[in-house]
Structures are given as structure tokens and as C-alpha cells.
Amino acid sequence: MTSSLQDRVVAAGFAAGWTLLPYLPKKPTAAAFRAVADRAWRRREPSVRRLERNLARVTGLGEDSAELRALSRAGMRSYLRYFHEIFLLPKMDRAEVVRRTHVTGAENIFDTVAAGRGVVLALPHMGNWDQSGAWLTGSGYTFTTVAERLKPESLYRRYVAFRESLGMEVLPLTGGAGHNFGTLAQRVRKGGIVCLPAERDLTKNGVKVEFFGATTQVPVGPALLAVKTGAALLPAILWFEGDDWGLRIHEEVPVPTEGTLQERTAAVAQSLVTVFEKGIAEHPEDWHMLQRLWLEDLK
């Protein structure tokens, strides 16, 4: 199958998911997604092997150990649960989403916004980040985020429409007006909320940090926004909690008062991923990192 044809098939699958799944019985469709996860896991597809290598670094488990294999199976099931849930979210009652989201530290967002100060929520790729966005909008708070430019364009547009239906303002990571940082800065300077994934750099212009004992690059945006605008940078950790969702909003990452802009931004980014390390270590099965992350793995 050619890459172009494969892209169209994927786009058609997503379109069918958003169109049909909300009207089908939930238990059988959830079981089907688990079966897809288990099939990929049994075949040890490249994405599964990459997940296992990443989890081995996080947990210290041996790459050929039974414990790591069990963890990667749980990880693949968690990953496919995310996709199952995003197809259901647009039709879910928002009050139900809020009720089933078990949140610690919500006041770190609400009190900051009430004081007229902007917030940058930074999160790793864990649990269901779209559901957490639905919790936030369902709690009465709009926010702005940035989306990866998926291929084909039709899939990207559907993802944007999906997130906008949940109440998010979505800016393209690439291919837009080219003023994303300025727009995000404007939002938080006016006391708004920005939510950004923050442990995988897609631009190749990130800042280097030490993450689980090795060097990687993370997006510079969250830390730079905090340094340049004075917005509160709040790390968020997400996980699945039974049939519900867990969410912890950590306290503000401090911004150094001394040093160059580059030094201060790097220090904030390092403090941010240190919080991520603890959250990922506590819920490794819900960290959906099926790509190369550390610089030594990119060689």
C-alpha cells in the first residue's frame, strides 16, 4: 500500500469512527479496540518495540523481561483506549465528563485565572489529553492549544473540528499564519489559558533537558511563554482511573530571576520535565510514547 493510499485509509477510518462509534454499543467497541492493541502487541510491531525501549528507560526493567512485556501490553491497551474515547467524546454529556474526571490541584488553574493571570498548562502524552480538555471546557474555561499538522489534510481538519467541538481554540503547529507564539502570548497576557504538549519536540528547535537520565529536546514554547509573559506554568499529569480519568494539576514551576533568556528558559524546561518524570513513573502504562524521544536514539 502506498503512503498516499494508506493516509487516505487512515483518514477514512477516523471519519467512520467519529460518525458511527457514538451510536454503537460501548462494550463491544471497546473490546474491539483492545483486540487491535493486543494484536499489535503480540506481533511486536515497530511501534510496540519502541514503546518497550522507552518504558525500559523509564522503569529500569530489562528489555526482554516478562514484566516489561506485560507493561507494554497495558500501554498498548491504554493507547487504543484513547482512540476509542475520542470517537465518543463529542457525543458525551459534558457534565458526565466533569463528574468522572478525578482532579487534584484544579484550584491552581481556577485561582490563578480568577486573579487575572494567564496559565500555561503543560502535559506529556498521557491518558486522554482531549478528555482533559473537555473537562476544562466543561468546567467553564476556554483555552487555546496547538495541533500537529497531520496527513492527509482531511484528517488534520477532522481533528481540528473534533477539538473545536469540545470548546478548544486550535492553532496549527506548522503551515498556519506563522505567528503561533505571538498568539499564545497574547492569550495568556489577557489572563487566558494555553494547553500544550511538552515532552516531545516536533519542530527540531527545542531546548535540551535531562529526562530519565538521558538528553532529549522538548518544545521551548511552554517554558518561554512563562519566562516572557509571566504566566503561571502548571504541569499536568493524566492517567486512566478504572473507567474514569485521573488528572493532577501541579503547582507553578518557578521562573529564575537571574540569567539570560536562554538560561532561564532552559532552567524552567528542566524543572517542568522533572515533574513529568515523577508522573510518568507513577503511571507508565498510560504514557503513550511510541516514537523515538532521546537524542541518542535519533542517531
Side-chain angles (χ1 to χ4, degrees), residues 165-213:
S165 76
L166 301 178
M168 311 178 194
E169 178 190 22
V170 183
L171 305 177
L173 179 64
T174 59
H179 307 296
N180 282 350
F181 185 86
T183 301
L184 296 173
Q186 183 184 61
R187 298 292 185 268
V188 294
R189 284 190 173 116
K190 290 182 177 179
I193 302 172
V194 165
C195 296
L196 298 172
E199 95 286 26
R200 181 177 174 232
D201 176 42
L202 295 173
T203 66
K204 299 183 180 179
N205 296 315
V207 57
K208 289 183 180 180
V209 295
E210 291 301 304
F211 191 47
F212 288 104

Side-chain angles (χ1 to χ4, degrees), residues 6-18:
Q6 187 174 27
D7 286 345
R8 291 198 298 272
V9 170
V10 170
F14 273 78
W18 275 307

Side-chain angles (χ1 to χ4, degrees), residues 11-23:
F14 273 78
W18 275 307
T19 302
L20 299 176
L21 252 66
Y23 303 100

